[in-house]
Amino acid sequence: MNPDFLDTGAKNVVRSLALLLRQWNLEYPANVCCKYHAAVSLVIFLLNGELRAKCKNEWMPNSGWQCDHCNMLFPEDVELCAFCATDDIEQEAEELPPEFLEHLADLAGIRPQTAPQSL
């Protein structure tokens, strides 16, 4: 999205989301395989709703600076990479999977999904 910075990489995107999930206290059904997948299911359900919401053409990722280690983006007033400070990551170049590009091409045809049970 921002040609002035390197791609963050799918691995660090997933890791940062997993860290974010730890900050939420959620109810989950007793029949789920684990609390992690219950939280992931809720995020998928909520984000599918966001895909059907009105476009936010003014939205852009942070553009102040990029961490040299993990490639996360931050606003200018943030001085420390919160991701590197909380996670032991390895620097490695990684591209988003080709299936993601296909998914982006299909966004116009999104259909509502049913809510996860008891989340």
Side-chain angles (χ1 to χ4, degrees):
M1 288 185 198
N2 189 331
D4 296 332
F5 296 110
L6 298 173
D7 189 288
T8 302
K11 185 175 183 178
N12 285 339
V13 170
V14 171
R15 286 179 151 179
S16 65
L17 286 171
L19 285 170
L20 185 61
L21 293 176
R22 290 182 168 273
Q23 298 178 40
W24 305 336
N25 185 33
L26 304 170
E27 291 184 33
Y28 63 95
N31 63 345
V32 295
C33 62
C34 67
K35 295 174 185 178
Y36 177 76
H37 284 133
V40 169
S41 293
L42 175 63
V43 169
I44 290 169
F45 173 74
L46 295 173
L47 290 178
N48 275 325
E50 285 298 301
L51 286 173
R52 293 184 301 274
K54 182 179 175 185
C55 287
K56 298 177 183 183
N57 295 323
E58 70 284 350
W59 186 92
M60 286 293 293
N62 290 319
S63 61
W65 63 279
Q66 184 173 44
C67 177
D68 292 333
H69 186 70
C70 68
N71 293 340
M72 294 290 186
L73 299 176
F74 298 93
E76 289 181 20
D77 61 341
V78 172
E79 296 180 9
L80 177 67
C81 173
F83 184 62
C84 286
T86 59
D87 196 26
D88 183 22
I89 65 161
E90 299 175 14
Q91 175 68 24
E92 65 181 66
E94 183 177 350
E95 295 181 12
L96 291 172
E99 298 84 15
F100 179 71
L101 297 177
E102 294 171 16
H103 170 72
L104 289 178
D106 292 339
L107 284 181
I110 291 174
R111 300 291 180 259
Q113 294 187 354
T114 58
Q117 295 179 345
S118 303
L119 286 181

